[in-house]
Amino acid sequence: MIDALGIAGSALLAQSTNLNVIANNVANATTPGYTAQQAMFVPMNPGVAVGAIVDTGESVDLTNEMVNLITAKAAYEAALNVVSATQQMTNRLLAA
């Protein structure tokens, strides 16, 4: 269960960073000269991290950013569900 929490925790941190990048892109979509940024995920053992935030060199595509937002939200919720399930299992083990 410790590995599950570590993996889920790293995913929560990575997706939180990703959400910040997406929000920054949306906020600056009309800023002259601004180009979209993207969080680059790096697999860890165990888990995942954001290795770098790179400039794409392209203007912000709001449709693409909304797709990224939906994907990041789903990944964040999945990791949160793992944390919740792990907590429930731990509580059941301790109650036994």
Side-chain angles (χ1 to χ4, degrees):
M1 280 192 285
I2 298 298
D3 282 345
L5 278 177
I7 293 167
S10 71
L12 289 170
L13 288 173
Q15 288 303 332
S16 179
T17 300
N18 190 29
L19 288 167
N20 284 333
V21 170
I22 294 165
N24 192 48
N25 286 341
V26 171
N28 288 293
T30 59
T31 301
Y34 181 82
T35 55
Q37 297 180 334
Q38 182 177 5
M40 302 302 291
F41 293 96
V42 176
M44 306 294 283
N45 190 11
V48 65
V50 172
I53 298 171
V54 297
D55 192 323
T56 65
E58 300 174 2
S59 61
V60 176
D61 177 356
L62 289 177
T63 302
N64 187 48
E65 295 303 324
M66 290 302 108
V67 170
N68 291 342
L69 179 62
I70 291 166
T71 303
K73 178 181 177 264
Y76 191 92
E77 288 175 345
L80 200 55
N81 286 337
V82 171
V83 171
S84 178
T86 303
Q87 181 181 14
Q88 289 174 5
M89 288 190 290
T90 302
N91 290 342
R92 287 183 186 143
L93 282 172
L94 293 175

PDB file of all heavy atoms in Angstrom, residues 18 33-34 37 42 52 55-56 73 76 96:
ATOM      1  N   ASN A  18       0.977  20.306 -13.966  1.00  0.00           N
ATOM      2  CA  ASN A  18       0.403  20.332 -15.307  1.00  0.00           C
ATOM      3  C   ASN A  18      -0.798  21.279 -15.367  1.00  0.00           C
ATOM      4  O   ASN A  18      -0.942  22.054 -16.314  1.00  0.00           O
ATOM      5  CB  ASN A  18      -0.004  18.920 -15.726  1.00  0.00           C
ATOM      6  CG  ASN A  18      -0.377  18.815 -17.182  1.00  0.00           C
ATOM      7  OD1 ASN A  18       0.109  19.543 -18.032  1.00  0.00           O
ATOM      8  ND2 ASN A  18      -1.260  17.878 -17.486  1.00  0.00           N
ATOM      9  N   GLY A  33       2.964  37.692 -28.368  1.00  0.00           N
ATOM     10  CA  GLY A  33       4.265  37.038 -28.284  1.00  0.00           C
ATOM     11  C   GLY A  33       4.328  35.820 -27.376  1.00  0.00           C
ATOM     12  O   GLY A  33       5.345  35.135 -27.344  1.00  0.00           O
ATOM     13  N   TYR A  34       3.261  35.551 -26.624  1.00  0.00           N
ATOM     14  CA  TYR A  34       3.276  34.397 -25.718  1.00  0.00           C
ATOM     15  C   TYR A  34       3.113  33.115 -26.523  1.00  0.00           C
ATOM     16  O   TYR A  34       2.290  33.032 -27.432  1.00  0.00           O
ATOM     17  CB  TYR A  34       2.146  34.496 -24.682  1.00  0.00           C
ATOM     18  CG  TYR A  34       2.137  33.335 -23.710  1.00  0.00           C
ATOM     19  CD1 TYR A  34       2.971  33.330 -22.606  1.00  0.00           C
ATOM     20  CD2 TYR A  34       1.312  32.228 -23.915  1.00  0.00           C
ATOM     21  CE1 TYR A  34       2.985  32.267 -21.717  1.00  0.00           C
ATOM     22  CE2 TYR A  34       1.315  31.162 -23.033  1.00  0.00           C
ATOM     23  CZ  TYR A  34       2.157  31.187 -21.934  1.00  0.00           C
ATOM     24  OH  TYR A  34       2.163  30.123 -21.059  1.00  0.00           O
ATOM     25  N   GLN A  37       3.139  26.620 -23.323  1.00  0.00           N
ATOM     26  CA  GLN A  37       4.087  25.764 -22.622  1.00  0.00           C
ATOM     27  C   GLN A  37       3.452  24.403 -22.401  1.00  0.00           C
ATOM     28  O   GLN A  37       2.228  24.270 -22.443  1.00  0.00           O
ATOM     29  CB  GLN A  37       4.478  26.390 -21.283  1.00  0.00           C
ATOM     30  CG  GLN A  37       5.196  27.704 -21.434  1.00  0.00           C
ATOM     31  CD  GLN A  37       5.577  28.308 -20.097  1.00  0.00           C
ATOM     32  OE1 GLN A  37       4.933  28.044 -19.087  1.00  0.00           O
ATOM     33  NE2 GLN A  37       6.611  29.117 -20.094  1.00  0.00           N
ATOM     34  N   VAL A  42       7.966  12.578 -16.707  1.00  0.00           N
ATOM     35  CA  VAL A  42       9.079  11.643 -16.662  1.00  0.00           C
ATOM     36  C   VAL A  42       8.666  10.479 -15.760  1.00  0.00           C
ATOM     37  O   VAL A  42       8.273  10.698 -14.609  1.00  0.00           O
ATOM     38  CB  VAL A  42      10.340  12.328 -16.078  1.00  0.00           C
ATOM     39  CG1 VAL A  42      11.477  11.349 -15.930  1.00  0.00           C
ATOM     40  CG2 VAL A  42      10.738  13.509 -16.924  1.00  0.00           C
ATOM     41  N   ALA A  52      10.320  18.723 -16.919  1.00  0.00           N
ATOM     42  CA  ALA A  52      10.578  20.074 -17.413  1.00  0.00           C
ATOM     43  C   ALA A  52       9.282  20.665 -17.945  1.00  0.00           C
ATOM     44  O   ALA A  52       8.342  19.945 -18.277  1.00  0.00           O
ATOM     45  CB  ALA A  52      11.614  20.042 -18.524  1.00  0.00           C
ATOM     46  N   ASP A  55       8.703  25.225 -23.768  1.00  0.00           N
ATOM     47  CA  ASP A  55       7.989  26.150 -24.628  1.00  0.00           C
ATOM     48  C   ASP A  55       7.757  25.446 -25.961  1.00  0.00           C
ATOM     49  O   ASP A  55       8.704  24.964 -26.583  1.00  0.00           O
ATOM     50  CB  ASP A  55       8.826  27.410 -24.822  1.00  0.00           C
ATOM     51  CG  ASP A  55       8.046  28.534 -25.457  1.00  0.00           C
ATOM     52  OD1 ASP A  55       7.205  28.251 -26.336  1.00  0.00           O
ATOM     53  OD2 ASP A  55       8.286  29.686 -25.083  1.00  0.00           O
ATOM     54  N   THR A  56       6.512  25.376 -26.404  1.00  0.00           N
ATOM     55  CA  THR A  56       6.193  24.678 -27.651  1.00  0.00           C
ATOM     56  C   THR A  56       6.537  25.499 -28.880  1.00  0.00           C
ATOM     57  O   THR A  56       6.626  24.956 -29.978  1.00  0.00           O
ATOM     58  CB  THR A  56       4.698  24.316 -27.712  1.00  0.00           C
ATOM     59  OG1 THR A  56       3.924  25.508 -27.761  1.00  0.00           O
ATOM     60  CG2 THR A  56       4.292  23.458 -26.532  1.00  0.00           C
ATOM     61  N   LYS A  73      -7.475  16.662 -15.375  1.00  0.00           N
ATOM     62  CA  LYS A  73      -8.482  16.526 -14.314  1.00  0.00           C
ATOM     63  C   LYS A  73      -8.802  15.053 -14.062  1.00  0.00           C
ATOM     64  O   LYS A  73      -8.869  14.614 -12.913  1.00  0.00           O
ATOM     65  CB  LYS A  73      -9.754  17.277 -14.696  1.00  0.00           C
ATOM     66  CG  LYS A  73     -10.879  17.156 -13.691  1.00  0.00           C
ATOM     67  CD  LYS A  73     -12.109  17.926 -14.172  1.00  0.00           C
ATOM     68  CE  LYS A  73     -13.264  17.758 -13.216  1.00  0.00           C
ATOM     69  NZ  LYS A  73     -14.184  16.720 -13.611  1.00  0.00           N
ATOM     70  N   TYR A  76      -5.850  13.445 -12.292  1.00  0.00           N
ATOM     71  CA  TYR A  76      -5.800  13.896 -10.895  1.00  0.00           C
ATOM     72  C   TYR A  76      -6.845  13.164 -10.063  1.00  0.00           C
ATOM     73  O   TYR A  76      -6.564  12.683  -8.968  1.00  0.00           O
ATOM     74  CB  TYR A  76      -6.025  15.413 -10.838  1.00  0.00           C
ATOM     75  CG  TYR A  76      -5.734  16.023  -9.500  1.00  0.00           C
ATOM     76  CD1 TYR A  76      -4.472  16.526  -9.213  1.00  0.00           C
ATOM     77  CD2 TYR A  76      -6.713  16.102  -8.512  1.00  0.00           C
ATOM     78  CE1 TYR A  76      -4.193  17.088  -7.977  1.00  0.00           C
ATOM     79  CE2 TYR A  76      -6.446  16.658  -7.279  1.00  0.00           C
ATOM     80  CZ  TYR A  76      -5.189  17.156  -7.010  1.00  0.00           C
ATOM     81  OH  TYR A  76      -4.910  17.699  -5.782  1.00  0.00           O
ATOM     82  N   ALA A  96      -9.393  -4.266  12.285  1.00  0.00           N
ATOM     83  CA  ALA A  96      -9.502  -5.721  12.445  1.00  0.00           C
ATOM     84  C   ALA A  96      -8.725  -6.223  13.625  1.00  0.00           C
ATOM     85  O   ALA A  96      -7.888  -5.713  14.186  1.00  0.00           O
ATOM     86  CB  ALA A  96      -9.036  -6.428  11.177  1.00  0.00           C
TER      87      ALA A  96
END
